[in-house]
């Protein structure tokens, strides 16, 4: 018996956020150090590697789950389904509060931290989006 995959109904997911981490705001001192090292060439290499890491790291919040993708050569992804009732914690140092970014920890009920996301802009808004998607 053959099953056609095309005939299986799929739910179109709604994407609320698709965001990469910040470079300067997430690590201002590292950014300035790399900028100082640009004239001797080392800074360009640092910026290139850093930029590649930022562009290959992505947080996606949909109506069904939170996804975190990362990796330059090897790609990894973690999903936390909203049905698992994840709790979201935000950690911000003084410098992160000044620049408006922070670290977000997403934990499913009873588990250790499933996902720690560092250096994202406006973590309180991200937490609000995740909380709003959780089933009531």
């Amino acid at each position: 018996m053959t099953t056609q995959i095309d005939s299986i109904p799929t739910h179109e997911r709604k994407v609320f956020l698709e965001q990469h981490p910040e470079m300067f705001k997430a690590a201002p001192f590292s950014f300035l150090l790399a900028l100082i090292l640009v004239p001797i060439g080392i800074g360009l290499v640092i910026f290139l590697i850093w930029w590649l890491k930022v562009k290959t790291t992505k947080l996606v919040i949909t109506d069904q789950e939170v996804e975190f993708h990362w990796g330059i050569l090897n790609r990894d992804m973690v999903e936390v389904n909203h049905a698992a009732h994840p709790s979201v914690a935000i950690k911000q140092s003084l410098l992160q509060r000044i620049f408006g970014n922070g670290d977000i920890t997403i934990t499913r009920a009873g588990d250790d931290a499933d996902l720690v996301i560092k250096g994202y802009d406006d973590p309180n808004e991200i937490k609000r989006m995740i909380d709003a998607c959780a089933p009531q």
Side-chain angles (χ1 to χ4, degrees), residues 6-18:
D6 295 337
S7 65
I8 299 173
T10 59
H11 177 306
E12 287 294 321
R13 67 184 194 158
K14 183 176 180 184
V15 176
F16 297 115
L17 177 75
E18 195 168 310

Side-chain angles (χ1 to χ4, degrees), residues 1-128:
M1 180 174 181
T2 315
T3 306
Q4 287 187 346
I5 293 179
D6 295 337
S7 65
I8 299 173
T10 59
H11 177 306
E12 287 294 321
R13 67 184 194 158
K14 183 176 180 184
V15 176
F16 297 115
L17 177 75
E18 195 168 310
Q19 183 179 345
H20 298 281
E22 296 286 330
M23 280 183 71
F24 174 73
K25 288 181 177 183
F29 295 119
S30 299
F31 189 90
L32 292 174
L33 178 63
L35 194 61
I36 291 169
L37 295 173
V38 164
I40 59 173
I42 297 171
L44 289 175
V45 173
I46 292 170
F47 274 128
L48 178 64
I49 293 169
W50 193 0
W51 181 81
L52 282 172
K53 283 184 179 181
V54 165
K55 289 302 174 191
T56 58
T57 302
K58 180 170 58 172
L59 172 67
V60 180
I61 300 174
T62 70
D63 58 344
Q64 298 171 359
E65 72 252 335
V66 177
E67 299 175 0
F68 186 63
H69 307 257
W70 73 95
I72 295 175
L73 298 177
N74 297 329
R75 294 291 291 162
D76 293 304
M77 181 183 75
V78 173
E79 286 182 358
V80 177
N81 195 305
H82 294 305
H85 299 283
S87 64
V88 182
I90 297 172
K91 182 180 174 189
Q92 289 180 296
S93 67
L94 176 62
L95 199 57
Q96 286 175 320
R97 288 181 62 203
I98 290 169
F99 285 110
N101 68 354
D103 302 338
I104 304 160
T105 302
I106 301 173
T107 308
R108 286 183 278 212
D111 287 343
D112 292 333
D114 287 320
L115 192 53
V116 178
I117 304 166
K118 297 182 179 253
Y120 277 82
D121 222 7
D122 200 0
N124 292 312
E125 179 64 18
I126 292 172
K127 180 185 182 331
R128 188 193 64 72

